[in-house]
Amino acid sequence: MEYNEARAIIEALIFASPSPISAKRIGEITGLDSKTVQSMVKDVQDKYRRDDSGIQIVFVAGGYEMATKPQFADYVSCLNIEVRQSLSRPALETLAIIAYRQPVTKPELETIRGVRVDSVLNTLMERCLVRVSGRKKAPGRPALYCTTSTFLRWFGLASLDELPPLTEDSDSLLGILSRSQ
Amino acid sequence: MRDAPNERVQPITALEDLTRSLEKGEVDPSSVSVHDTLDETMREIKRVMGTPDLDYIGDFLKAASALIKAKAEKLLPPEEDTDSEVDDENEQEDDFLYDSESEWSNEALLAHLMEYRVFQDAVAELARRDTTWRGVFPRSRPVEITQEIPLTSTEIGLTHLLSALQDILKEAPREEFSHVPQDDLFLERGMDHIRACIREKEKVVFRELFFEPVTRSGVIAVFLALLELIRLREVIVRQDYHFGEIVIAFVPGG
């Protein structure tokens, strides 16, 4: 398979995939190793960048997918595409705590936020941003919450590692917090 | 795109500055004036009256209450440890809570103050990304749909069921109401009907539940009965694939 042909196939796969497609999956289909796939995808990404295209290839939730560029959002939204609603501040706050401390129970969330989180948690569950990952081995077996791949796609994150690190002060404080529990 | 400027939340006046100073250990909590704090709080509340940004007001109140709490804790006498045989773990915890003069340690106080603030930078970053990525339209719009979560009675969502019910209702003829049915019997019959349908084939497609009751009230009765069975955790509702049929089955092992 020639380089250009392989690159075109990869572009087609990313275009046709219904969800972000990983380099591994592309490799399985094309017979190429992941490193080569990544290099070719970068080529395709550069091509879209060079051509001042309205399309870009983004790496989210561990896979590649095609998406429009944000600067054209006003035009694209005229297509009656349902634009998702922004998350409220309490929802973002709860989500941030879950993202950094997952898996986490509802009482733990409420301790940190200082308010009840039932309603916010329901909203986040409905939007599939968080899910119940199991039950804590503690009295009452409270549900443990963690983020989903939808969370990663929602915020354009390739993985949880891409979350900004908490500041040093915050880290030491987290240590204090966990010691105090 | 990812380098867009950080849309930080609004700064919260002198009170939050004071809280930050406390966090850094620059101010001794015992020197905080409750009067001044409350005064500042009331002034700020009056200032923002009419401001539609409830989050802003909420943040301010949180900062104020954290400060008052810090002061209150500083004024309280330390708890006496009556248990003479404390194990190592407890001793460690006591060291954490109290300093050598048996007062609340700054660490514990800071931890309380920062419970809420620890994640603020992360929240700001998520808010920025939320705004940016709202304008990015992927080829598929998977955000509201998840593939990794098995669709069960708790996760399929009432909206899915209501949407399916709307389709059924469209086809059901309206009838003249001459009497209001008795609730319990109404519901019980519906539940029996669903149980019988499931027993027949181990599972039943949502639409098939409504073959028999052709009236609108009959459809609603069966639907309410389904909700009751879900609430009782007697049945699960699942959709094996997107846009597929909604299937109802007994809870395994139930």
Side-chain angles (χ1 to χ4, degrees):
Chain A
M1 194 189 307
E2 279 186 26
Y3 186 89
N4 284 349
E5 186 191 2
R7 199 180 59 177
I9 291 168
I10 288 172
E11 187 179 359
L13 288 173
I14 296 171
F15 176 82
S17 177
S19 56
I21 185 167
S22 66
K24 190 181 165 208
R25 180 73 187 124
I26 294 174
E28 283 168 2
I29 296 169
T30 57
L32 298 166
D33 63 88
S34 287
K35 224 171 183 179
T36 311
V37 170
Q38 283 166 9
S39 152
M40 287 183 171
V41 171
K42 197 174 173 304
D43 263 10
V44 183
Q45 283 175 318
D46 288 343
K47 189 187 84 174
Y48 280 104
R49 216 167 287 141
R50 260 198 322 271
D51 294 349
D52 290 331
S53 170
I55 308 281
Q56 60 177 341
I57 291 176
V58 290
F59 185 58
V60 288
Y64 300 100
E65 77 174 348
M66 282 191 173
T68 60
K69 288 184 177 170
Q71 57 264 44
F72 307 117
D74 289 345
Y75 298 98
V76 180
S77 55
C78 291
L79 290 171
N80 289 331
I81 295 173
E82 196 182 336
V83 180
R84 74 182 196 210
Q85 288 184 332
S86 301
L87 291 170
S88 67
R89 176 141 185 115
L92 283 170
E93 220 172 87
T94 308
L95 207 47
I97 298 167
I98 296 174
Y100 280 92
R101 299 194 64 176
Q102 56 186 305
V104 64
T105 65
K106 190 157 74 72
E108 285 164 352
L109 285 168
E110 289 174 344
T111 303
I112 295 170
R113 287 207 57 225
V115 290
R116 291 181 68 99
V117 296
D118 302 65
S119 157
V120 171
L121 213 45
N122 280 342
T123 307
L124 295 175
M125 296 272 280
E126 274 172 20
R127 295 189 180 194
C128 301
L129 292 167
V130 299
R131 66 184 172 92
V132 174
S133 61
R135 302 244 163 211
K136 191 172 184 176
K137 286 177 185 166
R141 311 255 308 141
L144 288 163
Y145 296 91
C146 68
T147 54
T148 63
S149 68
T150 304
F151 164 81
L152 296 175
R153 296 184 74 183
W154 187 287
F155 294 102
L157 294 163
S159 72
L160 288 172
D161 296 337
E162 221 177 288
L163 281 171
L166 296 173
T167 59
E168 271 183 35
D169 283 351
S170 307
D171 276 339
S172 62
L173 210 73
L174 271 180
I176 296 168
L177 279 172
S178 51
R179 278 173 61 194
S180 68
Q181 282 171 2
Chain B
M1 177 168 48
R2 288 177 186 181
D3 298 322
N6 198 343
E7 290 173 17
R8 188 71 176 90
V9 293
Q10 298 176 60
I12 304 174
T13 70
L15 197 60
E16 184 161 274
D17 288 343
L18 189 55
T19 314
R20 283 185 181 153
S21 302
L22 269 171
E23 288 158 14
K24 290 176 192 164
E26 291 168 3
V27 177
D28 180 5
S30 56
S31 68
V32 172
S33 161
V34 174
H35 176 271
D36 290 349
T37 306
L38 290 176
D39 206 35
E40 169 84 14
T41 306
M42 292 313 294
R43 201 167 39 240
E44 190 63 13
I45 287 174
K46 276 181 195 161
R47 193 180 71 78
V48 299
M49 282 292 253
T51 307
D53 190 349
L54 290 177
D55 289 335
Y56 170 72
I57 300 170
D59 277 352
F60 181 82
L61 287 176
K62 268 192 172 179
S65 52
L67 209 54
I68 297 292
K69 192 180 173 196
K71 170 77 178 183
E73 283 175 353
K74 196 74 183 172
L75 292 174
L76 283 173
E79 285 179 21
E80 284 181 20
D81 188 5
T82 51
D83 189 358
S84 56
E85 291 182 8
V86 286
D87 58 28
D88 288 349
E89 197 180 330
N90 282 343
E91 274 178 11
Q92 201 177 12
E93 192 166 317
D94 287 345
D95 287 345
F96 161 65
L97 288 173
Y98 303 106
D99 62 18
S100 53
E101 280 112 33
S102 291
E103 286 187 345
W104 281 96
S105 72
N106 279 341
E107 273 190 338
L109 211 51
L110 291 182
H112 281 287
L113 274 173
M114 284 286 287
E115 276 176 342
Y116 162 73
R117 288 199 45 82
V118 161
F119 297 97
Q120 294 311 295
D121 286 343
V123 169
E125 171 66 8
L126 286 184
R128 185 188 69 78
R129 282 180 168 274
D130 187 29
T131 307
T132 305
W133 284 82
R134 218 154 56 91
V136 175
F137 295 84
R139 273 211 72 229
S140 57
R141 296 288 287 161
V143 167
E144 305 293 343
I145 304 167
T146 179
Q147 291 180 328
E148 67 184 327
I149 302 175
L151 298 167
T152 66
S153 57
T154 51
E155 286 147 339
I156 193 168
L158 189 59
T159 45
H160 294 84
L161 283 178
L162 281 173
S163 165
L165 176 71
Q166 292 295 336
D167 293 341
I168 305 279
L169 280 174
K170 272 181 206 161
E171 293 166 17
R174 291 178 181 278
E175 74 267 38
E176 294 291 327
F177 283 100
S178 56
H179 70 283
V180 178
Q182 290 180 359
D183 282 350
D184 290 348
L185 196 59
F186 196 59
L187 208 59
E188 204 57 52
R189 269 194 205 151
M191 288 162 73
D192 285 344
H193 167 68
I194 296 169
R195 289 188 191 109
C197 288
I198 300 174
R199 271 191 213 107
E200 211 172 293
K201 295 183 282 188
E202 290 189 352
K203 60 183 181 183
V204 63
V205 172
F206 181 76
R207 279 183 302 112
E208 290 177 1
L209 284 179
F210 305 96
F211 282 174
E212 199 180 304
V214 289
T215 61
R216 288 173 72 85
S217 57
V219 168
I220 289 167
V222 172
F223 185 74
L224 290 176
L226 176 62
L227 295 182
E228 182 65 7
L229 287 171
I230 293 170
R231 191 183 70 81
L232 296 171
R233 300 188 186 283
E234 205 172 309
V235 301
I236 54 165
V237 182
R238 66 168 197 268
Q239 196 174 21
D240 292 333
Y241 47 92
H242 299 309
F243 309 111
E245 292 282 7
I246 295 174
V247 175
I248 295 120
F250 287 123
V251 171

